[in-house]
Amino acid sequence: MWDFIRERQDQLLYNAFQHFSLVMQAVLVASVLAVLLAVVIVRYSWLQGLANALSAIGLTIPALALVGVMLALTGIQPISAFVAVAFYALLPVLRNAVVGLQGVDPTLVESARGMGMSPLAVLWRVRLPLAWPVIHAGVRTSTQMAMGIAAIAAYILGPGLGGYIFTGLAQIGGANAVNYALVATLGIVLVALVADVLLLLLGRLTISKGIRA
Amino acid sequence: MTTQHTTGHTSGISGAEIRLEEVVKRYPGQKTAAVESLSLTIPAGEIVMFVGPSGCGKTTSLKMINRLIEPTSGTILIDGEDVRKSSADELRRKIGYVIQGGSLFPHMTVAKNIAIVPKMLGWDASRVKGRVDDLLDLVGLDPSRYRDRYPRELSGGQQQRVGVARGLAADPPVILMDEPFGAVDPITRQRLQDELLSIQRELRKTIVCVTHDIDEAIKLGDRIVILREGGHIAQYDTPEVVLASPADDFVSDFVGSGSTLKQLSLARVNEVDLRETVTARIGEPTADAVQRAEAAGERSVIVLDDRDRPRGWPWLRQLKGDRIVEPTEDLVTVDERSTLNDALDTMLTSSHGAAVVTGDRDRYIGIVTFDTVTDHMRLLEDRAVEDRAHEQAAGERA
C-alpha cells in the first residue's frame, strides 16, 4: 500500500485538498443559509414544527438517492455534488441554530431592546453571539457528515477522494482495488480530522470567554 | 423645554419630570384593561416606587414609559416632551433601564456591558473608557480589577452593581428599574439599596422603580404609588403618609399593620444620634491605635482606608504586627439613609451589637447601637400613645 501511495502522492494530495475544499465551501454556504433560516423560523413559531419535520425527513433520504435526484436536476457536474453536500450540511446547523437562538434568555433580549438596540443589533450583538456555541457545534457535526457525503457525491463527478473508492469498487478483485478503497477512506478520515481541528480553533477564537463551557 | 438644564445648575437635580396622562393599556382578547387610565406626575429628581400585588399593572406601566409596551391610548411626557416624538430606540438610549439580576450580557466583559449605550450614541473610545471607570468607581467596584471580567466571574450583588452602572452609563435623566434587587440575598439587597440611595444623593436622577416589596418601597421611595388591579392608584404619597394614614383598607392591608417595628422602616439612621468610636487607619502604628482605644475605654477599633471607608472592625486583641494591615473580614456597613430596620438587621449579625454607618462614597460617619434604636422605639411608642389620647379627647368632645 505504501508504494501505491508513493506513486500517486501528488494526485492524492490534490484530491484530498479538493475534498476538503468542497466540504468546507458547502458547509460555509449551508451554515449561512441555515442561520438565516433559523432566524426566520424562531421569529415565526408556527414554522418550528414544520422545520423540525423537514429536517428529520431530510436526514433520512439516502445520500445516494439524493445524488441521483441531483443528477436528474442538474446533470453530471461538480455543482450537483456541491448542492448535494450543502443540502446535508444544512440540516444539523439548522437544527442547532434554532435550538441555540431559542435558548437565548428572553430577559436579555428585552434588556437589549430596553437599552435602545435595534432588532438587527440585538440579533447581531446579543442573540447570535449567545447562540454561537450551539451553532458552532452544529457546524462541526455537519462538517463530519459532509466528509462522507462528499465521497458519495464523487459518483456524479464531484471532486475529492470519493472517486478512488468508486474506482476500487468498480474493479473489485483487481490488482489495486483494495488499495484504492482503503487509501481513499483513510484519506477522508484524515481530512475530516484536520477539518475538525481547524473548527475547534475557530471556536476558540470566536466563542466569547464569558460563555465558553 | 430646558428645565433639565436650568434646574441642573441650581439644585443639582439631573432628572426630568415624567407625566402620564390617562394612559391605557388594553391587550387584544382581554376583557379588562391591564392599565385603565393612569394619570400620574413623577417629579424630577425623585425616586418613585410602584408597588402592588402581581397583576396590578406596575410593570406594564413602567414599560410604557420607555415604550417596551406601547400604550393603547393616553400620553406620556418626559421633560414635557411626548415619548412618541422620537423613535423608540432613540428614546430608550436616553432612559436608563435596569432589571432583575442586572441582566448583563454574558458574552461581553463588564466594560463592554457598560459601554453599550454610550457606543450607540457615538461617544469616542477614550470618553467611553473614562466613563466606564468612573461608573465602576461609583458603584464601588475597582475598575482595574473588574473592567475586563465576564459577568459569570462576578457574584450576584456585583452583577447587579454593574447592571446599575450600565443603566447610568449615558447619564440619562430618567432611570427605570424593574425589581432591581429581587434576585440577591437580603444582606446584599440591603447594601445595594443603600448604595443606590447614596448614588442618588449625588446624581438626583428621576428614578421609577417597580417592586412587590413594600419595605423596599418605603426605604427607597421619596414617594410610593400603590397600585391595585387595572393600574388604579390606591394611594400616591410619601412613605410617611402611606404608613401613617393609609387611604383605604386595600392600602392598609398591603402595607401591613402599622406596628412600631414597621415604623422603624421610616426612621433613617441619620435621624438618630450616632456614637463616635475610635478609628485607626491602614498603615498606622498598631500601638498608637491601641493606646487611643484604651484611653477611650473601647475594646475595638474601626479600621479605615485612605478614602475614609471602613474596612474592618477588629477587637484590640486581634490587632497583630507593628502596623495596621488591611482587614480581611467583610464588614457590613449601613448607609446613613438606611432605615433603622436595616441597621437593626446588621447589628444582629455583628458581634459588636452595633453597626458602622457610612455616608457619601462609603465614608465613615459613626456607629449606631441597640440602645439608640430601642430609645427611638420608645419615643415612637410614646408618641403613638399621645396621639391616641388626643384622638380620644377629640372623640369625647364631639
Side-chain angles (χ1 to χ4, degrees), chain B residues 25 33-36 38 49-62 64 179 210-212 225-234 250 254:
Chain B
K25 180 64 196 181
V35 174
E36 210 173 292
L38 179 66
M49 307 293 293
F50 285 9
V51 275
S54 55
C56 69
K58 54 188 189 291
T59 298
T60 307
S61 304
L62 183 86
M64 284 195 285
E179 300 267 1
V210 162
T211 179
H212 62 269
V225 184
I226 296 172
L227 294 166
R228 63 156 64 103
E229 211 155 302
H232 291 290
I233 298 177
F250 175 82
F254 192 77

mmCIF file of all heavy atoms in Angstrom, chain B residues 25 33-36 38 49-62 64 179 210-212 225-234 250 254:
data_model
loop_
_atom_site.group_PDB
_atom_site.id
_atom_site.type_symbol
_atom_site.label_atom_id
_atom_site.label_comp_id
_atom_site.label_asym_id
_atom_site.label_seq_id
_atom_site.Cartn_x
_atom_site.Cartn_y
_atom_site.Cartn_z
ATOM 1 N N LYS B 25 -53.674 50.704 28.786
ATOM 2 C CA LYS B 25 -53.139 49.570 28.026
ATOM 3 C C LYS B 25 -54.158 48.446 28.044
ATOM 4 O O LYS B 25 -54.544 47.942 29.099
ATOM 5 C CB LYS B 25 -51.818 49.080 28.628
ATOM 6 C CG LYS B 25 -51.230 47.891 27.875
ATOM 7 C CD LYS B 25 -50.870 48.280 26.455
ATOM 8 C CE LYS B 25 -50.650 47.058 25.575
ATOM 9 N NZ LYS B 25 -50.279 47.429 24.205
ATOM 10 N N ALA B 33 -58.862 45.951 31.035
ATOM 11 C CA ALA B 33 -57.608 46.572 30.626
ATOM 12 C C ALA B 33 -56.529 46.254 31.655
ATOM 13 O O ALA B 33 -56.800 46.148 32.852
ATOM 14 C CB ALA B 33 -57.798 48.075 30.507
ATOM 15 N N ALA B 34 -55.308 46.074 31.179
ATOM 16 C CA ALA B 34 -54.184 45.840 32.088
ATOM 17 C C ALA B 34 -53.934 47.107 32.899
ATOM 18 O O ALA B 34 -53.664 47.065 34.099
ATOM 19 C CB ALA B 34 -52.938 45.446 31.301
ATOM 20 N N VAL B 35 -53.986 48.235 32.217
ATOM 21 C CA VAL B 35 -53.896 49.530 32.891
ATOM 22 C C VAL B 35 -55.049 50.380 32.379
ATOM 23 O O VAL B 35 -55.193 50.568 31.185
ATOM 24 C CB VAL B 35 -52.543 50.224 32.602
ATOM 25 C CG1 VAL B 35 -52.538 51.629 33.204
ATOM 26 C CG2 VAL B 35 -51.391 49.407 33.170
ATOM 27 N N GLU B 36 -55.867 50.853 33.330
ATOM 28 C CA GLU B 36 -57.071 51.565 32.949
ATOM 29 C C GLU B 36 -56.933 53.021 33.358
ATOM 30 O O GLU B 36 -57.111 53.361 34.510
ATOM 31 C CB GLU B 36 -58.250 50.922 33.671
ATOM 32 C CG GLU B 36 -59.557 50.994 32.944
ATOM 33 C CD GLU B 36 -60.576 50.170 33.703
ATOM 34 O OE1 GLU B 36 -60.430 48.926 33.746
ATOM 35 O OE2 GLU B 36 -61.492 50.753 34.286
ATOM 36 N N LEU B 38 -54.355 55.642 33.680
ATOM 37 C CA LEU B 38 -53.420 56.017 34.738
ATOM 38 C C LEU B 38 -52.902 57.434 34.476
ATOM 39 O O LEU B 38 -52.372 57.720 33.412
ATOM 40 C CB LEU B 38 -52.244 55.025 34.762
ATOM 41 C CG LEU B 38 -51.140 55.251 35.782
ATOM 42 C CD1 LEU B 38 -51.664 55.072 37.196
ATOM 43 C CD2 LEU B 38 -49.993 54.290 35.532
ATOM 44 N N MET B 49 -41.633 54.796 43.721
ATOM 45 C CA MET B 49 -41.735 53.343 43.730
ATOM 46 C C MET B 49 -43.137 52.920 43.316
ATOM 47 O O MET B 49 -44.115 53.428 43.857
ATOM 48 C CB MET B 49 -41.451 52.810 45.140
ATOM 49 C CG MET B 49 -40.151 53.269 45.755
ATOM 50 S SD MET B 49 -38.685 52.627 44.928
ATOM 51 C CE MET B 49 -38.784 50.876 45.298
ATOM 52 N N PHE B 50 -43.241 52.020 42.357
ATOM 53 C CA PHE B 50 -44.526 51.414 42.012
ATOM 54 C C PHE B 50 -44.634 50.103 42.772
ATOM 55 O O PHE B 50 -43.820 49.201 42.550
ATOM 56 C CB PHE B 50 -44.586 51.083 40.509
ATOM 57 C CG PHE B 50 -44.779 52.287 39.603
ATOM 58 C CD1 PHE B 50 -44.707 53.578 40.088
ATOM 59 C CD2 PHE B 50 -45.050 52.098 38.251
ATOM 60 C CE1 PHE B 50 -44.884 54.668 39.243
ATOM 61 C CE2 PHE B 50 -45.229 53.182 37.392
ATOM 62 C CZ PHE B 50 -45.140 54.470 37.895
ATOM 63 N N VAL B 51 -45.611 50.020 43.674
ATOM 64 C CA VAL B 51 -45.817 48.743 44.362
ATOM 65 C C VAL B 51 -47.241 48.286 44.190
ATOM 66 O O VAL B 51 -48.147 49.091 43.939
ATOM 67 C CB VAL B 51 -45.557 48.796 45.884
ATOM 68 C CG1 VAL B 51 -44.115 48.602 46.205
ATOM 69 C CG2 VAL B 51 -46.100 50.055 46.499
ATOM 70 N N GLY B 52 -47.434 47.008 44.405
ATOM 71 C CA GLY B 52 -48.785 46.473 44.317
ATOM 72 C C GLY B 52 -48.700 44.977 44.134
ATOM 73 O O GLY B 52 -47.628 44.448 43.859
ATOM 74 N N PRO B 53 -49.831 44.274 44.296
ATOM 75 C CA PRO B 53 -49.829 42.824 44.110
ATOM 76 C C PRO B 53 -49.538 42.477 42.650
ATOM 77 O O PRO B 53 -49.633 43.347 41.783
ATOM 78 C CB PRO B 53 -51.264 42.419 44.499
ATOM 79 C CG PRO B 53 -52.074 43.659 44.335
ATOM 80 C CD PRO B 53 -51.161 44.809 44.589
ATOM 81 N N SER B 54 -49.168 41.234 42.382
ATOM 82 C CA SER B 54 -48.870 40.879 40.997
ATOM 83 C C SER B 54 -50.143 41.022 40.166
ATOM 84 O O SER B 54 -51.236 40.756 40.638
ATOM 85 C CB SER B 54 -48.321 39.456 40.906
ATOM 86 O OG SER B 54 -49.209 38.566 41.516
ATOM 87 N N GLY B 55 -49.969 41.487 38.944
ATOM 88 C CA GLY B 55 -51.121 41.699 38.074
ATOM 89 C C GLY B 55 -51.765 43.065 38.243
ATOM 90 O O GLY B 55 -52.807 43.335 37.678
ATOM 91 N N CYS B 56 -51.114 43.950 39.019
ATOM 92 C CA CYS B 56 -51.714 45.265 39.220
ATOM 93 C C CYS B 56 -51.308 46.226 38.111
ATOM 94 O O CYS B 56 -51.752 47.358 38.067
ATOM 95 C CB CYS B 56 -51.317 45.839 40.576
ATOM 96 S SG CYS B 56 -49.578 46.282 40.686
ATOM 97 N N GLY B 57 -50.457 45.773 37.208
ATOM 98 C CA GLY B 57 -50.088 46.620 36.080
ATOM 99 C C GLY B 57 -48.876 47.500 36.350
ATOM 100 O O GLY B 57 -48.603 48.420 35.591
ATOM 101 N N LYS B 58 -48.116 47.209 37.413
ATOM 102 C CA LYS B 58 -46.991 48.097 37.727
ATOM 103 C C LYS B 58 -45.870 47.962 36.703
ATOM 104 O O LYS B 58 -45.315 48.972 36.259
ATOM 105 C CB LYS B 58 -46.479 47.855 39.155
ATOM 106 C CG LYS B 58 -46.114 46.413 39.502
ATOM 107 C CD LYS B 58 -45.810 46.293 40.993
ATOM 108 C CE LYS B 58 -45.227 44.952 41.371
ATOM 109 N NZ LYS B 58 -46.170 43.821 41.257
ATOM 110 N N THR B 59 -45.560 46.726 36.304
ATOM 111 C CA THR B 59 -44.506 46.547 35.309
ATOM 112 C C THR B 59 -44.951 47.074 33.941
ATOM 113 O O THR B 59 -44.179 47.707 33.221
ATOM 114 C CB THR B 59 -44.100 45.065 35.222
ATOM 115 O OG1 THR B 59 -43.592 44.682 36.488
ATOM 116 C CG2 THR B 59 -43.036 44.841 34.175
ATOM 117 N N THR B 60 -46.217 46.810 33.602
ATOM 118 C CA THR B 60 -46.763 47.338 32.344
ATOM 119 C C THR B 60 -46.628 48.853 32.308
ATOM 120 O O THR B 60 -46.180 49.432 31.311
ATOM 121 C CB THR B 60 -48.252 46.950 32.207
ATOM 122 O OG1 THR B 60 -48.369 45.545 32.385
ATOM 123 C CG2 THR B 60 -48.802 47.325 30.855
ATOM 124 N N SER B 61 -46.993 49.505 33.419
ATOM 125 C CA SER B 61 -46.904 50.961 33.464
ATOM 126 C C SER B 61 -45.469 51.421 33.265
ATOM 127 O O SER B 61 -45.193 52.375 32.540
ATOM 128 C CB SER B 61 -47.424 51.480 34.810
ATOM 129 O OG SER B 61 -48.727 51.020 35.029
ATOM 130 N N LEU B 62 -44.540 50.732 33.914
ATOM 131 C CA LEU B 62 -43.125 51.096 33.798
ATOM 132 C C LEU B 62 -42.663 50.967 32.351
ATOM 133 O O LEU B 62 -42.017 51.854 31.800
ATOM 134 C CB LEU B 62 -42.280 50.185 34.693
ATOM 135 C CG LEU B 62 -40.796 50.512 34.723
ATOM 136 C CD1 LEU B 62 -40.536 51.584 35.763
ATOM 137 C CD2 LEU B 62 -39.958 49.286 35.027
ATOM 138 N N MET B 64 -44.285 51.116 29.701
ATOM 139 C CA MET B 64 -44.880 52.059 28.748
ATOM 140 C C MET B 64 -44.060 53.343 28.696
ATOM 141 O O MET B 64 -44.078 54.051 27.697
ATOM 142 C CB MET B 64 -46.343 52.338 29.114
ATOM 143 C CG MET B 64 -47.249 51.175 28.725
ATOM 144 S SD MET B 64 -49.000 51.564 28.733
ATOM 145 C CE MET B 64 -49.363 51.612 30.466
ATOM 146 N N GLU B 179 -37.862 45.594 39.557
ATOM 147 C CA GLU B 179 -37.436 44.657 40.606
ATOM 148 C C GLU B 179 -35.911 44.538 40.632
ATOM 149 O O GLU B 179 -35.376 43.428 40.554
ATOM 150 C CB GLU B 179 -38.025 43.255 40.342
ATOM 151 C CG GLU B 179 -39.534 43.219 40.302
ATOM 152 C CD GLU B 179 -40.151 42.876 41.660
ATOM 153 O OE1 GLU B 179 -39.399 42.691 42.625
ATOM 154 O OE2 GLU B 179 -41.386 42.829 41.731
ATOM 155 N N VAL B 210 -40.022 49.567 40.095
ATOM 156 C CA VAL B 210 -41.108 48.639 40.404
ATOM 157 C C VAL B 210 -40.632 47.641 41.443
ATOM 158 O O VAL B 210 -39.512 47.138 41.356
ATOM 159 C CB VAL B 210 -41.540 47.888 39.124
ATOM 160 C CG1 VAL B 210 -42.323 46.642 39.471
ATOM 161 C CG2 VAL B 210 -42.363 48.793 38.227
ATOM 162 N N THR B 211 -41.460 47.381 42.435
ATOM 163 C CA THR B 211 -41.117 46.341 43.407
ATOM 164 C C THR B 211 -42.418 45.724 43.926
ATOM 165 O O THR B 211 -43.487 46.310 43.806
ATOM 166 C CB THR B 211 -40.302 46.911 44.577
ATOM 167 O OG1 THR B 211 -40.027 45.865 45.507
ATOM 168 C CG2 THR B 211 -41.040 48.023 45.295
ATOM 169 N N HIS B 212 -42.314 44.519 44.482
ATOM 170 C CA HIS B 212 -43.506 43.964 45.134
ATOM 171 C C HIS B 212 -43.308 44.018 46.649
ATOM 172 O O HIS B 212 -44.162 43.618 47.416
ATOM 173 C CB HIS B 212 -43.749 42.525 44.678
ATOM 174 C CG HIS B 212 -42.626 41.611 45.052
ATOM 175 N ND1 HIS B 212 -41.556 41.378 44.225
ATOM 176 C CD2 HIS B 212 -42.389 40.932 46.185
ATOM 177 C CE1 HIS B 212 -40.719 40.577 44.834
ATOM 178 N NE2 HIS B 212 -41.174 40.295 46.022
ATOM 179 N N VAL B 225 -46.227 54.808 44.852
ATOM 180 C CA VAL B 225 -47.516 54.647 44.191
ATOM 181 C C VAL B 225 -47.988 53.236 44.515
ATOM 182 O O VAL B 225 -47.320 52.273 44.139
ATOM 183 C CB VAL B 225 -47.385 54.777 42.656
ATOM 184 C CG1 VAL B 225 -48.759 54.701 42.016
ATOM 185 C CG2 VAL B 225 -46.680 56.057 42.279
ATOM 186 N N ILE B 226 -49.102 53.118 45.205
ATOM 187 C CA ILE B 226 -49.641 51.784 45.460
ATOM 188 C C ILE B 226 -50.745 51.532 44.440
ATOM 189 O O ILE B 226 -51.708 52.287 44.349
ATOM 190 C CB ILE B 226 -50.157 51.653 46.898
ATOM 191 C CG1 ILE B 226 -48.965 51.810 47.843
ATOM 192 C CG2 ILE B 226 -50.819 50.303 47.111
ATOM 193 C CD1 ILE B 226 -49.334 51.900 49.287
ATOM 194 N N LEU B 227 -50.541 50.497 43.646
ATOM 195 C CA LEU B 227 -51.471 50.213 42.558
ATOM 196 C C LEU B 227 -52.322 49.008 42.915
ATOM 197 O O LEU B 227 -51.849 48.059 43.539
ATOM 198 C CB LEU B 227 -50.700 49.933 41.270
ATOM 199 C CG LEU B 227 -49.919 51.117 40.680
ATOM 200 C CD1 LEU B 227 -48.942 50.635 39.624
ATOM 201 C CD2 LEU B 227 -50.870 52.144 40.096
ATOM 202 N N ARG B 228 -53.573 49.072 42.513
ATOM 203 C CA ARG B 228 -54.402 47.872 42.600
ATOM 204 C C ARG B 228 -54.754 47.454 41.180
ATOM 205 O O ARG B 228 -54.452 48.172 40.234
ATOM 206 C CB ARG B 228 -55.648 48.132 43.433
ATOM 207 C CG ARG B 228 -56.608 49.185 42.878
ATOM 208 C CD ARG B 228 -58.006 48.936 43.417
ATOM 209 N NE ARG B 228 -58.014 49.100 44.863
ATOM 210 C CZ ARG B 228 -58.499 50.171 45.485
ATOM 211 N NH1 ARG B 228 -59.006 51.151 44.790
ATOM 212 N NH2 ARG B 228 -58.490 50.251 46.795
ATOM 213 N N GLU B 229 -55.365 46.282 41.055
ATOM 214 C CA GLU B 229 -55.613 45.696 39.741
ATOM 215 C C GLU B 229 -56.128 46.713 38.722
ATOM 216 O O GLU B 229 -56.919 47.588 39.047
ATOM 217 C CB GLU B 229 -56.630 44.569 39.888
ATOM 218 C CG GLU B 229 -56.407 43.473 38.872
ATOM 219 C CD GLU B 229 -56.958 42.164 39.399
ATOM 220 O OE1 GLU B 229 -56.509 41.730 40.482
ATOM 221 O OE2 GLU B 229 -57.838 41.604 38.747
ATOM 222 N N GLY B 230 -55.638 46.614 37.500
ATOM 223 C CA GLY B 230 -56.072 47.532 36.455
ATOM 224 C C GLY B 230 -55.302 48.843 36.483
ATOM 225 O O GLY B 230 -55.680 49.795 35.821
ATOM 226 N N GLY B 231 -54.230 48.875 37.235
ATOM 227 C CA GLY B 231 -53.408 50.082 37.273
ATOM 228 C C GLY B 231 -54.090 51.260 37.932
ATOM 229 O O GLY B 231 -53.782 52.413 37.639
ATOM 230 N N HIS B 232 -55.050 50.977 38.839
ATOM 231 C CA HIS B 232 -55.673 52.077 39.584
ATOM 232 C C HIS B 232 -54.782 52.478 40.742
ATOM 233 O O HIS B 232 -54.291 51.618 41.472
ATOM 234 C CB HIS B 232 -57.035 51.642 40.132
ATOM 235 C CG HIS B 232 -58.056 51.452 39.071
ATOM 236 N ND1 HIS B 232 -58.588 52.504 38.378
ATOM 237 C CD2 HIS B 232 -58.611 50.323 38.560
ATOM 238 C CE1 HIS B 232 -59.453 52.036 37.490
ATOM 239 N NE2 HIS B 232 -59.473 50.710 37.569
ATOM 240 N N ILE B 233 -54.622 53.787 40.912
ATOM 241 C CA ILE B 233 -53.798 54.247 42.026
ATOM 242 C C ILE B 233 -54.615 54.193 43.307
ATOM 243 O O ILE B 233 -55.642 54.851 43.429
ATOM 244 C CB ILE B 233 -53.316 55.697 41.784
ATOM 245 C CG1 ILE B 233 -52.447 55.741 40.536
ATOM 246 C CG2 ILE B 233 -52.542 56.201 42.996
ATOM 247 C CD1 ILE B 233 -51.978 57.138 40.180
ATOM 248 N N ALA B 234 -54.159 53.356 44.246
ATOM 249 C CA ALA B 234 -54.847 53.305 45.534
ATOM 250 C C ALA B 234 -54.356 54.445 46.417
ATOM 251 O O ALA B 234 -55.130 55.030 47.174
ATOM 252 C CB ALA B 234 -54.586 51.962 46.208
ATOM 253 N N PHE B 250 -57.498 48.532 51.349
ATOM 254 C CA PHE B 250 -56.563 47.870 50.436
ATOM 255 C C PHE B 250 -55.133 48.274 50.788
ATOM 256 O O PHE B 250 -54.257 47.437 50.924
ATOM 257 C CB PHE B 250 -56.892 48.261 48.992
ATOM 258 C CG PHE B 250 -55.902 47.727 47.985
ATOM 259 C CD1 PHE B 250 -56.018 46.422 47.519
ATOM 260 C CD2 PHE B 250 -54.855 48.513 47.523
ATOM 261 C CE1 PHE B 250 -55.112 45.921 46.599
ATOM 262 C CE2 PHE B 250 -53.941 48.018 46.611
ATOM 263 C CZ PHE B 250 -54.077 46.725 46.151
ATOM 264 N N PHE B 254 -52.171 46.051 52.399
ATOM 265 C CA PHE B 254 -50.942 45.853 51.638
ATOM 266 C C PHE B 254 -49.723 46.302 52.440
ATOM 267 O O PHE B 254 -48.690 45.651 52.434
ATOM 268 C CB PHE B 254 -51.011 46.603 50.306
ATOM 269 C CG PHE B 254 -49.923 46.200 49.368
ATOM 270 C CD1 PHE B 254 -50.002 45.001 48.684
ATOM 271 C CD2 PHE B 254 -48.801 46.993 49.202
ATOM 272 C CE1 PHE B 254 -48.994 44.601 47.856
ATOM 273 C CE2 PHE B 254 -47.783 46.599 48.368
ATOM 274 C CZ PHE B 254 -47.884 45.401 47.691
#
